[in-house]
Amino acid sequence: MTTRPLIVALDFPSSHEIKPFLEQFEGESLFVKVGMELFYKEGFHAISYLKKNGHKIFLDLKLHDIPNTVKSAMRNLASLDVDIVNVHAAGGKQMMVAALEGLDQGTIAGKKRPKCIAVTQLTSTSEQMLKSELLIDQPLDTVVRHYAKLASDSGLDGVVCSTWEVEQILAACGSGFLTVTPGIRMLNDNKDDQVRVATPEEARKRGSWGIVVGRPITKALNPLEAYHIVCEQWEGK
Ligand code: C5P
């Protein structure tokens, strides 16, 4: 697996937009993130197109269901030979263990099992929402740390979290636990709907394993140039 990947979020509605976007990166093997929007429209075709073109894939479908259903779904996703998949830690330990079993069963002989990471709390969830809607009285950072530990105890490879949570998650789960951080912006970038943003440099310094970058690259006037600028700061060149 790539060390410390820069993952480009392909938040496009269909393959029509993906092809011209990726053509600008001719010759570069990217690590891309495919989310629900694209996968629910294009499904396995989008994945095989990306793989054929040499890109690594984080398939961000955030599974959350009863253990048996998640296990069967993961068995199918593993057969796509993607690099990372994910679940909601809120599904509990039994569900996360089942996810890993499904992945082990579905992994093609001779291939590596996809890494499985957990969403702790969505970045759209505020502490106020935790209390009033989910009836969780603990502070948000305590909840995030607890869910990360639950994922680690279930055998998962890591979590999706904000840059600002990385240090406490690594302290709780060990330095080998993977932290994948979205909400990345260069200093002068528009924050869009992200709240707790960080620069690629900050993410590197705080120990993020990988960063997910969408609009700062996909909406840039020159996506290839934007990608290289983020890359340089992420790699500390
Ligand atoms: O465009 P932007 O860089 O904000 O995109 C970030 C990507 O990371 C989006 O695909 C978003 O869905 C995803 N993400 C996030 N926050 C999370 C989990 C995933 O922004 N907690």
Side-chain angles (χ1 to χ4, degrees):
M1 165 92 36
T2 319
T3 46
R4 301 176 66 82
L6 158 53
I7 304 172
V8 181
L10 294 181
D11 291 325
F12 294 109
S14 72
S15 295
H16 293 301
E17 293 81 15
I18 303 286
K19 289 180 186 170
F21 174 75
L22 289 176
E23 272 162 17
Q24 301 172 79
F25 293 83
E26 215 183 323
E28 295 261 5
S29 271
L30 301 184
F31 204 130
V32 296
K33 180 172 89 66
V34 172
M36 295 183 203
E37 182 183 14
L38 181 64
F39 192 75
Y40 289 162
K41 169 98 174 141
E42 307 285 356
F44 293 2
H45 297 298
I47 302 299
S48 63
Y49 169 79
L50 292 166
K51 284 194 67 71
K52 226 184 291 160
N53 285 281
H55 305 299
K56 288 181 178 280
I57 302 168
F58 169 16
L59 186 53
D60 177 21
L61 299 180
K62 302 186 181 71
L63 273 63
H64 187 178
D65 208 317
I66 59 170
N68 189 56
T69 302
V70 168
K71 181 174 174 176
S72 314
M74 283 300 190
R75 197 181 300 130
N76 285 344
L77 294 184
S79 71
L80 296 177
D81 190 27
V82 294
D83 300 278
I84 307 178
V85 293
N86 61 356
V87 294
H88 270 285
K93 199 168 175 178
Q94 209 192 330
M95 187 205 76
M96 289 192 270
V97 170
L100 289 177
E101 286 171 2
L103 287 172
D104 280 334
Q105 290 173 3
T107 298
I108 302 162
K111 300 277 186 183
K112 272 193 191 158
R113 156 175 87 63
K115 301 264 182 219
C116 188
I117 61 179
V119 175
T120 52
Q121 283 295 323
L122 295 170
T123 40
S124 51
T125 304
S126 64
E127 202 158 297
Q128 167 63 20
M129 260 176 78
L130 269 191
K131 280 201 177 67
S132 62
E133 296 182 23
L134 307 182
L135 300 185
I136 297 173
D137 270 333
Q138 303 282 326
L140 186 58
D141 62 344
T142 307
V143 177
V144 166
R145 202 170 48 237
H146 174 72
Y147 280 25
K149 187 73 174 57
L150 195 65
S152 164
D153 291 347
S154 307
L156 260 64
D157 301 293
V159 286
V160 183
C161 64
S162 104
T163 297
W164 312 101
E165 293 155 356
V166 168
E167 283 171 314
Q168 51 168 327
I169 287 174
L170 294 181
C173 303
S175 58
F177 199 57
L178 308 181
T179 50
V180 177
T181 59
I184 300 296
R185 291 292 182 272
M186 302 299 279
L187 275 182
N188 295 322
D189 278 348
N190 189 335
K191 283 192 192 173
D192 305 299
D193 52 353
Q194 296 285 7
V195 182
R196 300 176 70 216
V197 300
T199 62
E201 183 184 19
E202 191 73 54
R204 170 169 47 83
K205 287 185 175 160
R206 287 183 176 258
S208 294
W209 172 74
I211 53 173
V212 175
V213 187
R215 287 160 290 185
I217 294 173
T218 57
K219 301 272 187 238
L221 283 177
N222 184 337
L224 181 62
E225 186 182 64
Y227 173 80
H228 284 304
I229 292 171
V230 173
C231 222
E232 274 168 25
Q233 214 192 86
W234 170 234
E235 290 171 2
K237 285 180 182 160

